[in-house]
Amino acid sequence: MTAAGKAPSVLAAALAVLLCCGSGAHATEVPIRTAGMAASVKVRTLLDIRYRTIVRQQHDFSCGAAALATLLKFHYDTDITEAELVEAMMRTGDPGRIRSQGFSMGDMQRFLAAHNVKANGYWAKLEETAEAGIPFIVLINVRGYRHFVVVKGIHDGRVLVGDPALGLKIYGLEDLQAIQEGPVFAIDDFVEVGRNSFNRPDEWRFRPKVTEAASVARPGGAQLMNLRPPGEF
């Protein structure tokens, strides 16, 4: 049998591994061996794909840091980790308040200002903010738990959301507005960079089931976020 003839068995083995794979957060390189042929196949689980353009939060209190890391890394070409943001924002914020209530938009704004990046909160509806064509952070209230997420795109009444606790999700526009609280948080600088990363086709191609507000579960380990009044937020 030729090598070409053996290809289907290699593909079948790779698919079997994919279907049986666990929920690890990274792609796994799996060796595939058949008679007279060896290959190595990189396998990505659905969970890998769900978090491909999202920084996953590592602490109960850090969804704000993970959301900001997601915004910077995947929308503004700035390679920064959640851990680096946690450390930096802890230095300029109140560590006790942060550990018990989480980061605020004010913490995010101070971090960016310290690096000469202008950002602000805007009291606007989601569709109004979307007209600017840039990604932004919003605070949602999930059954009493406040949680930061990144709005990655809005199209045809649907919202593509990067959730640091749950991965990539799609909401109906009205459903997300029903659980949104407070202002939206956006970076004012580097507008063209932001616009080039908003509504990315490759992110929309991964199509999780549309989430309705009434069916949203509490993100695992999420803590109350401290959204400050306008001017401090």
Side-chain angles (χ1 to χ4, degrees), residues 8-230:
S9 64
V10 174
L11 177 59
L15 289 174
V17 172
L18 175 61
L19 293 172
C20 296
C21 233
S23 58
H26 304 285
T28 302
E29 192 164 291
V30 179
I32 304 295
R33 296 184 183 277
T34 60
M37 182 177 177
S40 181
V41 180
K42 281 194 174 181
V43 174
R44 298 183 69 89
T45 67
L46 290 176
L47 188 63
D48 297 331
I49 297 171
R50 185 180 289 273
Y51 284 98
R52 184 173 60 85
T53 58
I54 299 167
V55 175
R56 192 173 186 179
Q57 73 182 82
Q58 300 300 312
H59 309 283
D60 289 348
F61 61 83
S62 66
C63 72
L68 183 56
T70 296
L71 188 68
L72 293 174
K73 182 173 183 177
F74 296 109
H75 296 280
Y76 287 94
D77 297 329
T78 303
D79 193 8
I80 191 166
T81 67
E82 180 202 52
E84 290 169 331
L85 282 170
V86 168
E87 181 180 357
M89 292 194 290
M90 281 281 196
R91 285 199 303 266
T92 58
D94 179 347
R97 185 265 301 169
I98 290 169
R99 290 187 184 281
S100 64
Q101 299 179 352
F103 293 102
S104 69
M105 289 182 177
D107 294 318
M108 301 180 206
Q109 186 187 45
R110 281 190 293 275
F111 170 82
L112 293 170
H115 292 80
N116 300 311
V117 176
K118 184 180 178 183
N120 219 321
Y122 296 92
W123 294 90
K125 293 183 178 180
L126 293 179
E127 63 264 39
E128 294 172 342
T129 309
E131 290 177 4
I134 60 174
F136 53 93
I137 293 173
V138 297
L139 183 73
I140 60 175
N141 188 322
V142 183
R143 299 179 183 177
Y145 293 90
R146 295 182 174 91
H147 182 60
F148 285 117
V149 298
V150 179
V151 173
K152 290 172 161 284
I154 298 180
H155 176 69
D156 196 24
R158 298 181 304 159
V159 187
L160 184 67
V161 168
D163 187 320
L166 301 175
L168 194 65
K169 299 178 69 66
I170 294 176
Y171 289 82
L173 180 61
E174 292 183 358
D175 288 318
L176 186 62
Q177 286 181 155
I179 58 176
Q180 179 198 353
E181 286 194 356
V184 303
F185 182 79
I187 292 176
D188 296 331
D189 294 333
F190 315 111
V191 174
E192 286 307 311
V193 177
R195 284 177 177 164
N196 288 337
S197 69
F198 193 65
N199 273 328
R200 280 172 43 183
D202 64 310
E203 292 191 296
W204 278 107
R205 276 198 292 269
F206 177 66
R207 297 177 182 273
K209 181 180 178 181
V210 176
T211 303
E212 298 180 0
S215 67
V216 176
R218 170 191 172 187
Q223 296 285 332
L224 288 172
M225 296 295 106
N226 179 31
L227 182 63
R228 298 178 180 180

